[in-house]
Structure formats: C-alpha cells, structure tokens
Amino acid sequence: MFCLSGPPDSRVIVMEDDDVILPCSLGTNQNIEKELFVWKKEGTVPLKVVFMFDDGTYSRGQDEEFKGRVSHFPEQLKHGNASIRMNKTTLEDNGNYTCSFPEMKPTKIFRIELVVGAAPKPSVTNLYQTNDWALLQCDVEGASPKPTVEWWDSTNKTLTSDEPQVTPKGDRFYITVKTTVKKTGFYRCVATQKEIWHQIHKEIYAHFGDRSGTGMMRATIVSVIFGIIGIVVV
C-alpha cells in the first residue's frame, strides 16, 4: 500500500487546454474489468471524485467539473491499466490525484501529481528611442507558474533591467520588465518556467546611427498627437 502523505508516484506536466493522460497500472497484467477502481482529487473534504469504474459501469458519483472531460481505456483494463484521459485541462486541475483499488487485498493506492501550466508568448515594445538609446518593454500576461522574465542580447547575455513589475491574479502572473539598450541589434525577452521545463521568447530589433534626430522627432510627434486628442476629447 502506498502512503498518501508521501511524495507522488509520478508527476505529469501539461499546458492548459491540452489533453493529458494520468497513469495508473498494477504492472502485473491482472485483468481489472470486474474490479472497482476510483480516481479522486486531493485537497478538498470530501475528496472530489474524478472517475469511478465498478464492474463495467463508470462515472457514478463523479464531480460536476470532471463530467464529459474524463474517460478511461476499456481495451486496456484486461492488462491492469486504469489510466484516465482528461480533456481540456485548466489551471484549476492542478493538484494531487489518487488512483485506488479499495476492494483489493491489500488495497492498492497510487498517487499522481498533475501540473498544469500557462505559458503565453511575451509581447515586446520599443517604448521610446533616441539616437543613442532605446527603452524596451516586455509584457508576459497570465503565466503560471510564475516565470522568470529577462532581457537577453543576441549573444544570450542577460541585460540589466528595471525591477520587474509583478501583478498576481489568482494562479496567474502578469509581469512587465523594461531595459535600456544602446547598440544596434536583436534583443530577446525570455520567459522561463523551470517547474514545467518551459522557456519561450519574443525578439525585437533596435537600430541606432541615424544622426538626423528622426527617432527623437518621431517619438515627440506621437506624444504631441496623443496630447491633442486628449484635449479634444475632454
């Protein structure tokens, strides 16, 4: 018997909206078509019923949030495989799950940790530019778990940036990071989520060397135009 208070027997990582298989197998090729096995999610009292199979019938007592999203593999039951498929995962599906065979002697219990991640692609903007420098901004919206967000140059060197502005909303994080660059080249905003082994980036190009002042003038004109619009509206 596996101890429920111990670490999970397996860990599964998936991105939100994707489907995932939660593994559970006796590993003995024992036919379980006539057995009772129950999948539950930990963290609530009573535990939420994710899926229940009992001698050919299933879904009895299933919690509403899992109805229509969870299924098993009928052809695999004769091989002792009680794994389930969960469709369109959400961040709310994060957590620990148990797969148990309560009528077996001894009782068999397996524990699986499901990690659902959200990894939106960063958006990058050249906020302001002169002939000598440019202020770049990166926004990562709705990521989970919380990513590390950095600016890199074309040689993968981490640039000095302002302190990240982090706004948590539920399980999601909204992060803004700004940096000032002074050399022509490509720059990348990189979001890294080590917990789910994920990294994604967005690139932007900054060009310097125009001594005519066009860059400064263009920024000034945009600012003035918006200022005029604001006055007219008021």
Side-chain angles (χ1 to χ4, degrees):
M1 178 175 178
F2 291 84
C3 179
L4 289 180
S5 61
D9 300 297
S10 60
R11 187 171 189 255
V12 180
I13 298 174
V14 66
M15 291 300 174
E16 66 174 339
D17 292 327
D18 286 347
D19 301 343
V20 66
I21 294 176
L22 300 185
C24 179
S25 178
L26 294 176
T28 60
N29 271 337
Q30 177 181 343
N31 192 325
I32 57 173
E33 291 176 316
K34 300 295 183 180
E35 294 287 346
L36 167 67
F37 65 85
V38 184
W39 278 88
K40 292 185 178 182
K41 184 181 181 184
E42 296 182 329
T44 60
V45 179
L47 301 183
K48 294 181 179 180
V49 177
V50 179
F51 185 87
M52 180 183 294
F53 181 90
D54 187 7
D55 192 15
T57 63
Y58 58 91
S59 296
R60 178 163 53 88
Q62 188 179 42
D63 271 72
E64 194 66 32
E65 66 188 89
F66 299 110
K67 288 183 178 179
R69 289 204 302 132
V70 179
S71 59
H72 69 308
F73 300 89
E75 71 283 358
Q76 291 295 316
L77 295 177
K78 59 186 176 182
H79 302 299
N81 188 347
S83 301
I84 56 174
R85 179 193 298 275
M86 184 181 296
N87 297 329
K88 293 190 70 66
T89 55
T90 68
L91 294 185
E92 288 70 29
D93 293 325
N94 268 302
N96 292 319
Y97 293 76
T98 58
C99 169
S100 64
F101 296 82
E103 295 182 351
M104 285 189 175
K105 303 299 181 185
T107 300
K108 300 288 186 181
I109 302 177
F110 302 88
R111 196 162 179 256
I112 298 89
E113 180 186 5
L114 175 61
V115 180
V116 182
K121 193 168 187 175
S123 63
V124 292
T125 309
N126 188 335
L127 286 181
Y128 186 80
Q129 181 168 342
T130 70
N131 293 325
D132 303 308
W133 56 268
L135 179 61
L136 307 181
Q137 176 172 304
C138 173
D139 294 288
V140 176
E141 299 186 341
S144 181
K146 181 182 176 182
T148 298
V149 182
E150 300 173 314
W151 277 101
W152 293 3
D153 64 15
S154 58
T155 65
N156 295 335
K157 178 182 177 182
T158 302
L159 303 179
T160 301
S161 302
D162 295 345
E163 187 71 21
Q165 302 171 22
V166 181
T167 303
K169 293 183 180 179
D171 294 327
R172 299 179 185 272
F173 292 87
Y174 296 76
I175 301 175
T176 297
V177 179
K178 298 177 183 178
T179 190
T180 300
V181 298
K182 299 180 179 180
K183 294 181 179 180
T184 295
F186 286 97
Y187 296 91
R188 282 184 288 169
C189 175
V190 183
T192 305
Q193 295 162 293
K194 291 183 178 180
E195 297 93 330
I196 58 174
W197 298 86
H198 190 273
Q199 187 177 86
I200 192 170
H201 74 271
K202 185 69 177 290
E203 197 169 70
I204 190 171
Y205 183 76
H207 176 74
F208 302 96
D210 180 4
R211 311 311 298 180
S212 65
T214 305
M216 173 72 83
M217 183 63 70
R218 185 179 297 114
T220 304
I221 291 173
V222 171
S223 177
V224 171
I225 290 175
F226 276 100
I228 294 173
I229 292 175
I231 294 172
V232 172
V233 171
V234 172

